[in-house]
């Protein structure tokens, strides 16, 4: 539905033939003049709402979009949740990526691992927290953050290239 400068998408469903992949909804402001989209991103105060939830799926289904997925055992599964609110200039983003039972056919002796990555963007900061765990091994942990300034990036896209990034990966000592 497109009315009053808002695009509303309800009951979104991503399907691959008979397989339901993800469901969601979105409510997005649209500009009257699409040539002024950067100005809208930087200054529009109307609310943005996006919600996408995938099903728990075999990661092998992603090989057409992520060629590296073809190197993952078909028993490995994943799930994605995306929530965006706020405005274009000051969005609040919450993303959760979960991968379970990750296995490599090329390394059959490695135990299966579970991976969870959380991406959070709000109040001027974008943070990523990740954790990989496998049976009988300590967790590998990753954290990263950087400034999150979509309004400034819309007006000056090169600015994102100079943003400082802080990241840390803690890997356990293993054989």
């Amino acid at each position: 539905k497109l009315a009053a400068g808002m695009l509303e998408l309800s009951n979104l469903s991503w399907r691959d033939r008979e397989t339901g992949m993800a469901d969601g909804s979105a409510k997005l402001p649209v500009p009257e003049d699409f040539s002024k989209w950067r100005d809208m991103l930087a200054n529009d105060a109307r609310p943005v709402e996006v919600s996408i939830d995938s099903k728990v799926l075999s990661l092998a289904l992603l090989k057409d979009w992520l060629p590296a997925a073809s190197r993952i055992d078909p028993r490995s599964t994943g799930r994605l949740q995306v929530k965006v609110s706020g405005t274009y200039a000051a969005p609040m983003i919450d993303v959760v990526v979960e991968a379970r039972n990750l296995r490599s056919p090329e390394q059959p002796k490695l135990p299966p691992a579970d991976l969870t990555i959380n991406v959070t963007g709000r109040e001027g900061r974008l943070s990523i927290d990740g954790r990989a765990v496998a049976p009988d091994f300590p967790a590998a942990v990753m954290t990263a953050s950087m400034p999150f300034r979509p309004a400034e990036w819309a007006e000056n896209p090169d600015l994102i290239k100079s943003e400082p990034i802080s990241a840390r990966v803690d890997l356990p000592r293993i054989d």
Side-chain angles (χ1 to χ4, degrees), residues 32-114:
E32 289 182 32
D33 179 352
F34 277 93
S35 69
K36 298 179 180 176
W37 64 272
R38 285 188 188 196
D39 182 58
M40 184 192 75
L41 291 179
N43 299 305
D44 198 315
R46 294 176 293 173
V48 171
E49 296 174 25
V50 176
S51 176
I52 299 172
D53 289 310
S54 81
K55 310 292 185 204
V56 175
L57 300 166
S58 168
L59 293 178
L61 292 172
L62 301 177
K63 66 180 182 256
D64 291 338
W65 298 282
L66 284 166
S70 65
R71 295 180 17 218
I72 298 174
D73 188 295
R75 295 174 288 177
S76 302
T77 62
R79 182 169 184 246
L80 172 70
Q81 293 178 293
V82 177
K83 304 275 189 231
V84 180
S85 59
T87 65
Y88 285 135
M92 292 181 283
I93 297 172
D94 292 294
V95 176
V96 178
V97 177
E98 296 174 335
R100 300 289 178 245
N101 202 25
L102 288 171
R103 298 171 181 266
S104 170
E106 298 167 1
Q107 300 288 331
K109 291 184 180 181
L110 288 177
D114 292 342

